[in-house]
Amino acid sequence: MYEKITLPNGVRIVFEKMPHYRSAAAGIWIKTGSRNEKPAENGSAHFIEHMLFKGTESKTAFDLAELTDMIGGRINACTTRESTCFYARVLDSNLDTAIDLLCDMFFNSAFAQKDVETERGVILEEIGMYEDSPEDTVTERLFAKCYRGPLGRPITGKPATLAKMTNSDLKLFMSENYSPSRTVFSLCGSFEDRHLRRIEAEFSRMPTVKNKPPKKAEYTPAAVTKRKSGEQNYFCIGFPGITATDEDRFSLALMSTVLGGGVSSRLFSTVREKYGLCYSVYTFNASFSDTGLFGVETALGRETEKKALNLIADEIRRIQSEKITADELDRAREHVKSSVILSLESTSARMERLGGGELFLDRCLTPDELIRRYDAVTADDILRVAGRIFDFEKLSFSAVGKVSPPDYYAGLLDGPFRPVPD
């Protein structure tokens, strides 16, 4: 069972003791991501993530890397559209050093201008790597067209915005957006009370900052294609989804599993196994604080795309209009519940569940609560949520490869596509 401490300045510390483990995972979660950026700031949150590893007032970047290797641990970070997380997983005997490193990086990063110049080049290479990946590009372009604002901008930023960023710009963005009310420290595994006292002391000194809420995002149907050489064409079909706090999220998770979440899913069984038209086809759900997007993604040969996309549309309409079977519901339920239970064996996964739950839901559902919520989902719930999600009048589409114009694919998917220019 997890516990929570709320400091006077608003920082929340969530923790779960697991004394029978020999490891611990710690994470600093900030409810700030790319959607908190102004147009000229695009890429700032991700740039800051990189800079925290470039040295502090007392340690060089090599010192940080050497200490990480010395304790045999893993220290890393990630930036999303709505959050940034700096985390570590180590043996419990090295937890003191891991907390020292995380806090030093978080509170005392140097932000030297010479390091900004160096890391800018690294991020530009990272952008180039993603642009070379059609699977990443097809999804990113769908988001960019469906959300014409902060939520649709790339997390990594754009070369034009990155080129103008200085160390002063990054420090200002951090000071304005990394506030106590947006901060959660998550700790899970084998630790002692003194570790909590250390965390309390460090984060009690965070100054209070009044944050503005991010600009409200609204899903808008759109279609976009990009010509790119390659052996396959990549497709992403989108529908308006639900928010991260929506009560239908449990039904949606099971519906997604039935439709495209495993090797026995309808899409996989039909498009790949029965007809052999693709290697991979799957569904995904991206939920945010005020909106969401549900998608289907696949890669197809030019000669198979017509039949495959027809079949995908057919399966979407079928799950929208007919109840799933009891066997399908049972399989989906066990698939999702197994993921929940198996994640309990990882201190990192538990730390992420605690931190993310507190950051976005203001509480973390226990594993027993999660299982009860999934057990309560019925076939009628699946049918209802499928009807709610799959509105073909709001269908969106992204394609990358040797592709045709959007109108061609509109005919295959029966969607009133709204092409959006770059």
Side-chain angles (χ1 to χ4, degrees):
M1 190 70 179
Y2 83 95
E3 300 177 70
K4 180 168 88 171
I5 297 170
T6 302
L7 301 180
N9 62 359
V11 173
R12 289 159 286 169
I13 303 169
V14 288
F15 55 96
E16 183 178 18
K17 279 193 175 183
M18 304 163 64
H20 51 290
Y21 277 54
R22 288 297 313 276
S23 67
I28 304 170
W29 295 76
I30 311 295
K31 199 173 183 179
T32 295
S34 58
R35 76 171 301 181
N36 299 93
E37 300 162 350
K38 299 171 186 174
E41 296 172 334
N42 185 214
S44 296
H46 177 255
F47 208 143
I48 288 168
E49 175 211 313
H50 278 241
M51 290 305 300
L52 262 61
F53 290 84
K54 298 302 292 181
T56 69
E57 294 171 2
S58 60
K59 298 179 184 68
T60 66
F62 182 78
D63 292 336
L64 296 175
E66 189 177 46
L67 279 168
T68 300
D69 286 343
M70 189 178 298
I71 61 177
R74 182 188 179 204
I75 298 181
N76 212 330
C78 63
T79 306
T80 71
R81 286 176 163 82
E82 291 196 314
S83 68
T84 308
C85 179
F86 305 91
Y87 58 90
R89 187 186 184 195
V90 294
L91 295 178
D92 56 1
S93 56
N94 293 321
L95 182 57
D96 287 298
T97 302
I99 292 175
D100 285 346
L101 283 173
L102 284 175
C103 291
D104 194 22
M105 291 163 58
F106 189 74
F107 290 110
N108 305 313
S109 279
F111 283 95
Q113 183 59 35
K114 63 179 179 62
D115 293 328
V116 170
E117 301 299 335
T118 301
E119 207 60 25
R120 193 191 331 270
V122 173
I123 295 172
L124 290 173
E125 291 299 320
E126 184 179 357
I127 292 172
M129 177 183 69
Y130 290 137
E131 289 180 345
D132 281 343
S133 167
E135 188 171 7
D136 291 324
T137 302
V138 72
T139 308
E140 189 65 41
R141 287 174 67 82
L142 184 72
F143 270 94
K145 302 308 178 185
C146 290
Y147 295 106
R148 305 290 284 185
L151 193 62
R153 297 188 195 120
I155 295 169
T156 52
K158 299 177 181 178
T161 56
L162 296 173
K164 300 176 182 178
M165 289 182 189
T166 66
N167 57 349
S168 297
D169 296 327
L170 296 174
K171 286 192 285 187
L172 179 62
F173 182 87
M174 189 174 182
S175 67
E176 290 179 342
N177 290 278
Y178 279 41
S179 66
S181 62
R182 289 182 177 178
T183 303
V184 171
F185 195 106
S186 178
L187 180 62
C188 187
S190 175
F191 59 88
E192 300 174 14
D193 288 344
R194 63 183 177 83
H195 293 115
L196 292 174
R197 303 290 84 80
R198 170 70 196 284
I199 295 165
E200 287 184 53
E202 287 287 347
F203 283 83
S204 290
R205 62 190 180 97
M206 278 190 78
T208 301
V209 177
K210 188 174 182 180
N211 296 128
K212 293 181 180 179
K215 184 179 179 180
K216 184 174 175 59
E218 184 175 346
Y219 171 94
T220 302
V224 59
T225 57
K226 179 180 177 64
R227 297 284 297 181
K228 190 178 181 70
S229 62
E231 294 299 316
Q232 288 189 304
N233 291 342
Y234 288 76
F235 299 93
C236 191
I237 304 165
F239 293 88
I242 62 176
T243 68
T245 58
D246 195 298
E247 287 300 306
D248 271 341
R249 64 189 185 275
F250 306 99
S251 300
L252 182 61
L254 296 188
M255 187 273 286
S256 179
T257 302
V258 171
L259 183 61
V263 293
S264 68
S265 68
R266 291 184 176 187
L267 289 175
F268 194 92
S269 297
T270 300
V271 185
R272 171 174 160 150
E273 295 298 287
K274 185 176 181 179
Y275 291 100
L277 301 177
C278 70
Y279 179 77
S280 174
V281 58
Y282 59 90
T283 54
F284 66 88
N285 180 49
S287 289
F288 305 100
S289 58
D290 55 355
T291 186
L293 186 147
F294 185 88
V296 178
E297 190 160 332
T298 189
L300 305 165
R302 187 73 177 90
E303 66 284 356
T304 64
E305 65 180 27
K306 180 178 180 179
K307 185 173 183 179
L309 292 174
N310 283 156
L311 289 169
I312 289 171
D314 288 345
E315 289 297 342
I316 291 173
R317 291 189 184 281
R318 187 161 73 93
I319 203 169
Q320 178 192 40
S321 59
E322 303 172 6
K323 276 189 187 181
I324 65 171
T325 66
D327 285 344
E328 285 180 310
L329 179 57
D330 288 342
R331 283 201 305 271
R333 206 193 315 271
E334 287 306 306
H335 182 89
V336 173
K337 286 163 58 176
S338 293
S339 298
V340 173
I341 300 301
L342 291 174
S343 71
L344 300 179
E345 298 183 4
S346 164
T347 54
S348 291
R350 293 176 86 129
M351 180 276 292
E352 291 172 9
R353 185 175 60 84
L354 289 182
E358 181 63 34
L359 196 69
F360 294 108
L361 305 175
D362 294 324
R363 68 183 293 257
C364 181
L365 296 179
T366 67
D368 287 342
E369 287 177 300
L370 284 171
I371 288 171
R372 283 198 297 272
R373 298 300 293 270
Y374 288 121
D375 280 340
V377 175
T378 67
D380 285 324
D381 293 326
I382 300 290
L383 186 63
R384 178 180 52 78
V385 79
R388 178 182 174 187
I389 295 296
F390 296 127
D391 181 352
F392 276 75
E393 290 294 315
K394 298 179 180 177
L395 183 149
S396 291
F397 184 83
S398 174
V400 172
K402 297 175 182 177
V403 294
S404 301
D407 286 347
Y408 170 75
Y409 298 110
L412 301 183
L413 292 166
D414 295 328
F417 290 167
R418 299 166 178 83
V420 178
D422 286 333

